[in-house]
Amino acid sequence: MRAVRTRTAAPRQVFGAGAAAGGRGTGPDLFLLAVAVSGISLSAPLIAATAAPALAIAFWRNAMAVGVLAPLALTRHRTGLRAMGRRNVLLAVAAGALLALHFALWLPSLHMTSVASSTALVTTTPIWTTLLLRLRGRNSPPLVWAGTAVAFAGVVILTGVDLTLSPRALAGDALALGGGMAAAGYVLLGAEVRRTVSTTAYTFVCYTTTAVLLLAACLVSGADLGGGYSGETWLKLAVLTVAAQLLGHSLINRVVRGLGPSVTSTAILLETPGAALIAALWLGQNPPAAVYGALVVILAGLALVVRGNAGSARRARA
């Protein structure tokens, strides 16, 4: 989509340009989105199998990704980095800060409340995405609201809602909910920057910010950054970086420009049943029967969101 240059039009376009792309390249983008969801679905099983502190895992997956992206970003995309402009750099830094906040809030919540509650609450991302778009002045079609509700219902079918009244569990629930809100902001800011900035330039600035902030969090909390890690642990961290960060988050940053934040954030809900199926194949953990029904329900909700955004784009072009 051609970037809007006028001062009067720009505020109305913030956070909304991607969805208005009208489906150009939708087929390839949906394929890449499927690859991205497969990548992030490896995240939970890999984290569960990796003998390292959660915050350290989050730091290394971002730091290693920056190490991979740096040669490409500083050579072939150096012009793009210079051309980002102050506003886009600040938005990319803000997105990186929100991604770091997402990790810093959600991962500790897994040890404070039940995994089911933490998963259900952190995956409220598409709900916050749709609400934030509404606050920015963009009216989402009824099908988008309906699809978001249906998709989230699929997550609840799989995880359940296991809220308790203990102060520690309630604090963990609040952290997970905050992690879902932070992820929504990350997706929305990424969609805005990606209107005019390449995926490599944006992700390099974003991941660098995330890595720096998570490093600070690790140093403050005293998390072990690798003094006693085994070779197997480092290998798992490398696989996590490739699968969840470079193929997962980076492809999400790639497709959010064409598919829009509503579709992208809703598709991320597929991580929950995807992780359960991967854990079954890799770790031998038999998934509950509900995983298959939840997968169908989430896909149905995603289809409604895609259809609602496509219909809105057609009406905007008419």
Side-chain angles (χ1 to χ4, degrees):
M1 169 176 266
R2 183 173 297 171
V4 177
R5 299 295 184 186
T6 62
R7 291 182 177 271
T8 56
R12 292 193 297 270
Q13 293 295 325
V14 173
F15 301 154
R24 288 187 300 178
T26 299
D29 280 349
L30 287 175
F31 171 76
L32 291 176
L33 182 59
V35 175
V37 171
S38 299
I40 61 174
S41 294
L42 278 167
S43 181
L46 273 171
I47 290 173
T50 301
L55 279 178
I57 293 173
F59 162 70
W60 280 117
R61 64 186 283 181
N62 283 276
M64 289 181 175
V66 170
V68 172
L69 290 171
L72 183 62
L74 297 177
T75 54
R76 294 180 58 185
H77 291 266
R78 183 168 51 189
T79 302
L81 283 170
R82 290 175 175 173
M84 282 182 68
R86 183 174 180 271
R87 178 176 180 273
N88 279 329
V89 169
L90 290 176
L91 288 176
V93 168
L98 286 172
L99 182 59
L101 183 62
H102 165 72
F103 285 129
L105 291 176
W106 177 44
L107 295 181
S109 78
L110 292 168
H111 302 287
M112 299 174 64
T113 187
S114 69
V115 174
S117 291
S118 177
T119 303
L121 290 168
V122 80
T123 52
T124 55
T125 295
I127 296 175
W128 305 117
T129 301
T130 306
L131 287 173
L132 286 171
L133 285 171
R134 179 67 184 87
L135 291 175
R136 295 300 304 182
R138 181 184 157 203
N139 295 317
S140 298
L143 274 180
V144 171
W145 287 98
T148 300
V150 170
F152 182 66
V155 174
V156 174
I157 289 173
L158 178 57
T159 63
V161 178
D162 184 26
L163 300 177
T164 65
L165 296 180
S166 74
R168 181 177 176 81
L170 287 174
D173 293 336
L175 288 177
L177 190 63
M181 294 178 182
Y186 160 67
V187 172
L188 289 169
L189 288 176
E192 172 62 13
V193 177
R194 282 286 293 115
R195 290 172 55 202
T196 55
V197 176
S198 71
T199 304
T200 301
Y202 164 65
T203 53
F204 177 69
V205 175
C206 178
Y207 293 171
T208 299
T209 303
T210 303
V212 169
L213 292 176
L214 287 172
L215 175 61
C218 288
L219 294 175
V220 169
S221 65
D224 180 14
L225 287 171
Y229 292 3
S230 65
E232 180 182 359
T233 295
W234 286 113
L235 177 60
K236 288 175 180 177
L237 286 172
V239 173
L240 180 64
T241 299
V242 173
Q245 203 69 25
L246 293 174
L247 288 180
H249 281 274
S250 295
L251 285 180
I252 286 173
N253 293 332
R254 161 67 176 78
V255 302
V256 71
R257 177 182 181 181
L259 296 177
S262 294
V263 173
T264 305
S265 61
T266 303
I268 294 174
L269 292 178
L270 290 168
E271 176 186 357
T272 304
L277 293 174
I278 290 172
L281 295 173
W282 181 32
L283 302 177
Q285 299 178 0
N286 293 327
V291 70
Y292 303 104
L295 182 60
V296 172
V297 172
I298 294 172
L299 284 172
L302 178 58
L304 289 176
V305 173
V306 171
R307 185 174 178 182
N309 276 323
S312 177
R314 286 194 297 271
R315 288 190 295 271
R317 294 196 306 269

